[in-house]
Amino acid sequence: MTEPDPLVPESASTPPTPVTAPAALEDDAMHVHAPDHAVTTWRQFFIHLAIVSIGLLIALSLESLVEAYHHRSLVTEARRNIEREISENRGLVKQNIASVQADQARMKTNLDVLLALRQTGQVPSDGHLQYRLEWSALSDSAWTTARDTGALGHMDYAEVQCYAGIYTQQRLISEQGQRLLESQTRAISPALIAGNPLAMTDAERDLVTSRSADLLADLKGVEQLMSQWDTRCTTSEP
């Protein structure tokens, strides 16, 4: 029996296992094969060079066509989603405009009640304080998705600018709507603390009156902003 050589590592006697590239990488790679026979003349060399060049151009052209088709599909889907979202938001804005107009009428009644309360110390029998606002939130998910997926980068610059202007003004509308909801609570809070409009002090009543007047002005401003946005959506053509 032959004794193992102590100076030679045991692993040295085992041939290394060949490492092969993953099948997925082999399939995706672009291969350029050498000719089956030796190139012995300049004519053969240039023929082989022409074949390789034409093959590479065809492969690159096909790759570009596939990529262009992918980008075009991405843009088409993004544009369709954005247009649908804007259309849906326009319907919600029309509802918000009607809600804001109704709240303006309530706010004018509130100011009349507060004025009568200040002059007579009594709440009119046909009037009472009302503070509420129905508001529908506007969506921007299609715009955000188009931006995050890179679809906007493949659209025409003028088209992207048009959509950006619409969504920028829409974001301003949403912010103003949130402030209106907060202002409703702030306006009526002194009366809620007193528990009854008649129990408010002169300072509390004046505070409610001042905040209600500010709220009425804000309601008119938001209505105008939403009307301008709706007109912009109608006249803008990306």
Side-chain angles (χ1 to χ4, degrees), residues 6-59:
L7 299 179
V8 180
E10 184 178 349
S11 59
S13 61
T14 303
T17 302
V19 179
T20 58
L25 296 179
E26 291 180 351
D27 294 340
D28 294 340
M30 183 182 297
H31 299 284
V32 178
H33 297 282
D36 296 333
H37 55 83
V39 176
T40 57
T41 66
W42 284 107
R43 182 173 180 275
Q44 292 177 345
F45 170 77
F46 285 115
I47 290 176
H48 180 69
L49 180 62
I51 293 174
V52 172
S53 299
I54 293 172
L56 289 175
L57 289 175
I58 292 174

Side-chain angles (χ1 to χ4, degrees), residues 45-209:
F45 170 77
F46 285 115
I47 290 176
H48 180 69
L49 180 62
I51 293 174
V52 172
S53 299
I54 293 172
L56 289 175
L57 289 175
I58 292 174
L60 292 174
S61 298
L62 289 176
E63 184 179 358
S64 298
L65 288 174
V66 171
E67 187 174 358
Y69 175 78
H70 171 71
H71 292 163
R72 186 163 55 252
S73 300
L74 187 65
V75 168
T76 300
E77 183 180 3
R79 183 183 295 115
R80 181 171 58 249
N81 291 338
I82 289 174
E83 292 290 346
R84 181 172 59 249
E85 184 173 68
I86 291 176
S87 178
E88 293 173 353
N89 285 339
R90 290 186 66 192
L92 295 175
V93 163
K94 287 181 172 60
Q95 295 177 14
N96 288 341
I97 289 176
S99 177
V100 164
Q101 290 173 342
D103 199 43
Q104 289 181 48
R106 285 191 296 269
M107 208 55 54
K108 291 177 182 178
T109 300
N110 291 340
L111 289 172
D112 291 340
V113 171
L114 291 167
L115 180 60
L117 181 61
R118 180 179 183 180
Q119 293 175 345
T120 65
Q122 298 293 327
V123 175
S125 58
D126 58 344
H128 55 279
L129 299 179
Q130 298 183 71
Y131 291 83
R132 70 176 186 274
L133 176 66
E134 296 177 1
W135 183 268
S136 299
L138 306 180
S139 174
D140 64 350
S141 58
W143 169 257
T144 302
T145 301
R147 181 195 61 199
D148 293 344
T149 57
L152 298 181
H154 302 288
M155 289 184 180
D156 183 71
Y157 178 78
E159 182 180 14
V160 174
Q161 286 296 97
C162 178
Y163 288 141
I166 289 174
Y167 277 96
T168 297
Q169 190 169 357
Q170 176 183 306
R171 183 169 62 252
L172 180 59
I173 291 173
S174 298
E175 293 172 353
Q176 293 295 326
Q178 182 62 35
R179 292 193 183 98
L180 287 178
L181 295 173
E182 295 172 355
S183 297
Q184 294 277 345
T185 304
R186 291 183 66 254
I188 193 59
S189 58
L192 295 176
I193 294 172
N196 188 314
L198 295 175
M200 287 192 297
T201 64
D202 291 343
E204 290 173 337
R205 184 188 60 245
D206 291 343
L207 182 59
V208 173
T209 303

